[in-house]
Every structure is written in structure tokens, then in C-alpha cells.
Amino acid sequence: MRIAVIDGQGGGIGKTIVEKLRKELPEDTEIIALGTNALATAAMIKAGANEGATGENAIVYSSGKVDVIMGPIGIISANSMHGELTPMMSKSIAESTARKILLPLNKCNIEIVGVDKSEPLPHLSDKAVQIVKDFIGGYENVRS
């Protein structure tokens, strides 16, 4: 199972996700940190990602080679994160066949109806990791 965590700016959201994934998932789960900048990638690697890469080409190339993509909802919105996320990045993420598990953070002028806006990042990331665990359980059942 290969999971890409995508983040930008300071990488704090990605760092939180990687820490929780590393704590909850089997050691053989490969976590790839994909940052829109080197600071974000470094934060996610420090949090426990197996490897990392930075920039548009890394995200475009890797989006099609993973089973799951995680990050804030803004990663599928062109020019989000103050323009760090390029249109090619968002297109490759949106078009990837990987399951996308996105946190509904309201930082990119995107409103999602039915989402509790007061829920803090740690709770959202806990729920996201649970979705990954459920997905892996189903994935492993299909493979065996």
C-alpha cells in the first residue's frame, strides 16, 4: 500500500497526517511526502514518511503511482495555497485513480455543505486515518 500525503506552505497539516498514519498503520505501509515546497516535504519526512519529493513534477508523476492520496481539500483546487499548488498539480491529483481522502479545511474558499466547520484538525485527521485503515482492510481482502 502506497499513500501519498500532499501539503504545502509549512507542511503542518501533512505532518499531522503522516504522524497519525505512522502510528496507526503497519510498518510496511509506504508513506510518500509530496510537498509543494521543500519546507513542507521536510516536515512530513521528519514526521515519519518513508520518502519525499518536492514540486510540480514530483506531484504530477507520483499522483498516478499511489493507492491513496491524502491532504487538505485545496490540493484539488488550482492555484490554492496562495498559488503554490499549480493547475498541473491539482489536475494530476484529481485525475489520479488513487482513492482521495481529503480534509475539508476551509482555507481555499471552498465550502462543503454538511461538514462541521468547528471540528479541529486532530479530529479530522483521526477520521481520515480511520478511512485509510478501512480502505486497507478492504484492499487486503481483495488481494488475498
Side-chain angles (χ1 to χ4, degrees), residues 1-141:
M1 174 67 58
R2 298 183 81 202
I3 300 172
V5 180
I6 301 175
D7 198 7
Q9 300 184 312
I13 297 168
K15 176 179 176 267
T16 299
I17 294 170
V18 170
E19 286 173 342
K20 290 181 186 262
L21 288 172
R22 187 52 65 210
K23 182 178 173 186
E24 296 289 330
L25 299 180
E27 283 188 31
D28 64 343
T29 304
E30 187 175 351
I31 301 172
I32 303 167
L34 297 174
T36 59
N37 63 63
L39 184 63
T41 304
M44 292 188 283
I45 289 174
K46 189 173 179 181
N50 297 84
E51 59 185 321
T54 301
E56 182 178 78
N57 194 57
I59 292 173
V60 169
Y61 177 78
S62 298
S63 292
K65 300 189 176 302
V66 295
D67 302 298
V68 175
I69 296 174
M70 298 182 75
I73 188 78
I75 63 173
I76 58 169
S77 178
N79 299 312
S80 64
M81 299 181 187
H82 300 285
E84 282 189 22
L85 210 107
T86 69
M88 283 298 295
M89 290 177 182
S90 61
K91 183 177 187 293
S92 67
I93 295 165
E95 290 181 350
S96 170
T97 58
R99 171 158 285 194
K100 293 153 209 66
I101 300 171
L102 308 176
L103 279 64
L105 300 172
N106 187 22
K107 292 188 174 183
C108 299
N109 210 19
I110 298 172
E111 293 285 339
I112 302 172
V113 176
V115 172
D116 180 2
K117 295 179 187 175
S118 65
E119 197 158 17
L121 176 61
H123 293 175
L124 292 172
S125 55
D126 286 344
K127 289 180 178 178
V129 169
Q130 184 59 50
I131 292 170
V132 172
K133 289 171 71 176
D134 293 346
F135 178 68
I136 288 174
Y139 181 83
E140 293 299 325
N141 288 336

